[in-house]
Structure formats: structure tokens, C-alpha cells
Amino acid sequence: MAGKDAIYEAMIYRACDKLLAARKRVSLRNLIAALPNGGTNRIVGPILREWKADRDYRPRLVVNDLPETVQGELVAFTRAVVEAAQASQAKLFEDDRRKLEARLRANDELRDDALTECDFLREENVRLAREAAEVLKLRAENEQMRRRLDRIRAEEFWDRVMAEVAEMMPVGGSRPLDEILAGLKDSIHRGARLHKEPLDEDTLKKKMIGRWEHGKYFEKAPDGTLVRKAG
């Protein structure tokens, strides 16, 4: 892992040197854009800071694109300012430089902390998005399971009702549906409401036909009437 880190650091150093040779500003944005696979502020930033310290890098004003007269005036003015500072304010300039460097170092530390926090927040957002998707998936699966259990419970309930209906009929015979309804227990009527199906003659007939189709409790007489199955 250490070998890979050294190779990556050397690649960033070369990219910084190329930017410097091309007289481009060696900034975090320019550096990441110059890397073959890009990079993150959290990883590239500290290596860039080390490169600047190793190369004693200070951004310089690029004047090549300015008109020659402006360049001359700008160079002469800069030289005069530097000479005046060196001649009369050397000590003050040095103190200011040291203070500025201290501020820059502190600013770099704050910026690195902020960039690290941004990278962390991005990673955290990705993780939370994955977890949210997983929660939605689990909710959908739970809803499917709940509906399946509801169907199973409903089938078990109506199977018990049909068994009781069959007990109310003579073997090989039938009985009017209104009499069957009147003879059912109150708990069965309450159960039907819980399973959201009306307990009436149409529902009884539908459930009885369903059991007959599966060979349970009932059979058909020659005239097509559903009668209680023997055995």
C-alpha cells in the first residue's frame, strides 16, 4: 500500500512540475484536471501542499499576454516597489511575510479540514441513499408478505366456515342458504367482516363452489345442486 502511495505522490509531483513549466497556476483545480484519473480534494490537497513546500512555490503574475508597454511599466513598478521595500522596510517586510505565511498555513489547514468534511459528507450521502433504497425494498417485501399472509388467513377462515356449513347439511342433501346463514355463529359473521367479505348468500354459494372444485365438503347432485359430500 505504501508503494502505491509513493507512486501516486510522484505522479502528482510530475503533474505539478508540468503545470509550473507551462507557466500555469499550480492550483488544486488545475492539478486535479491535469491528472489522468482526476482525484479528490482530500487526497490531492495534502500532496499539493507538500509539493509547494518542497519547491518553495509562490504564484507569480503572468504578464506575457499583456501589451509590451504595459508589461514594461508593470515590471518597472514592481522593481521599484521591491527595491524600496528592501532598502527601507526590510525588517517590516520580513515580519509581514512571516505573518502572511502563518495565515496561509492556517488557511490551508482550515481548507483541508473543510475539504475532508465535504468528502466525508458526500460518502455519507451515498451510504444513506443506499440504506434508503434498501429500506424501500424491505418495505415492499414486507407488504407482499403481509398480503400473502392475509390471503392465507382468509382461506383458512373460509375453509372453517365451509366445514361448519357442511355439518349443517345432511349427508347427500342440501339446505336453503338463508337457513344456513341464520344458523352460523356470531363469531363467523365478525370474522367475515374482518376479512372484508360480506357474509351473504352470494358469498356462501361462491365459497361452496370453490370447495366443490377442490373436492372438499360438497358434491353435485344430478340436478346440479350442491349437497354434502359423504365421508
Side-chain angles (χ1 to χ4, degrees):
M1 187 66 182
K4 292 183 179 178
D5 291 342
I7 293 173
Y8 188 67
E9 182 175 335
M11 180 183 70
I12 291 179
Y13 266 56
R14 287 195 298 272
C16 291
D17 291 337
K18 288 180 180 179
L19 288 173
L20 183 62
R23 300 181 63 80
K24 294 183 178 179
R25 183 177 176 85
V26 187
S27 64
L28 193 59
R29 177 176 296 181
N30 289 342
L31 176 57
I32 290 175
L35 293 174
N37 297 319
T40 65
N41 297 340
R42 179 162 58 95
I43 295 176
V44 177
I47 301 176
L48 173 60
R49 186 173 63 250
E50 293 298 324
W51 178 88
K52 288 183 177 181
D54 291 344
R55 299 291 193 272
D56 192 23
Y57 172 78
R58 294 179 177 84
R60 294 178 174 82
L61 179 64
V62 179
V63 300
N64 292 348
D65 295 333
L66 299 176
E68 291 185 2
T69 55
V70 176
Q71 290 184 35
E73 293 176 0
L74 183 58
V75 171
F77 173 76
T78 302
R79 184 181 297 113
V81 171
V82 172
E83 290 175 352
Q86 290 175 342
S88 62
Q89 298 184 7
K91 187 178 183 304
L92 180 60
F93 177 80
E94 182 65 17
D95 291 341
D96 289 342
R97 185 183 65 80
R98 289 175 180 172
K99 290 178 182 179
L100 178 59
E101 289 179 350
R103 292 193 187 99
L104 289 175
R105 284 194 299 270
N107 183 65
D108 284 343
E109 293 174 358
L110 292 174
R111 182 189 60 193
D112 290 342
D113 290 342
L115 293 175
T116 300
E117 183 67 17
C118 287
D119 286 340
F120 169 78
L121 291 175
R122 280 194 291 270
E123 293 169 0
E124 189 68 8
N125 286 337
V126 171
R127 184 184 67 81
L128 291 175
R130 291 198 192 102
E131 291 183 357
E134 186 66 21
V135 168
L136 292 176
K137 179 181 177 182
L138 289 175
R139 285 180 179 173
E141 291 175 354
N142 288 340
E143 180 62 19
Q144 290 178 353
M145 183 66 70
R146 185 190 64 78
R147 291 177 180 175
R148 182 179 178 185
L149 288 175
D150 286 345
R151 288 194 297 269
I152 292 174
R153 288 169 181 158
E155 286 301 315
E156 291 176 347
F157 167 76
W158 286 110
D159 198 69
R160 292 195 302 272
V161 173
M162 292 299 101
E164 185 167 334
V165 169
E167 288 294 328
M168 298 170 66
M169 300 165 60
V171 175
S174 182
R175 190 173 178 182
L177 294 178
D178 57 345
E179 293 182 8
I180 294 175
L181 283 172
L184 291 175
K185 300 174 184 177
D186 291 340
S187 60
I188 292 178
H189 288 270
R190 290 194 298 272
R193 286 194 294 271
L194 288 175
H195 291 288
K196 300 178 182 179
E197 281 195 82
L199 187 54
D200 53 23
E201 293 186 11
D202 290 338
T203 300
L204 275 184
K205 185 175 181 181
K206 181 179 68 175
K207 300 298 182 183
M208 291 170 69
I209 291 174
R211 271 38 183 200
W212 163 74
E213 289 175 343
H214 288 85
K216 297 181 66 177
Y217 306 130
F218 308 105
E219 58 186 6
K220 276 194 176 183
D223 63 356
T225 302
L226 286 177
V227 298
R228 178 179 174 180
K229 188 176 181 180

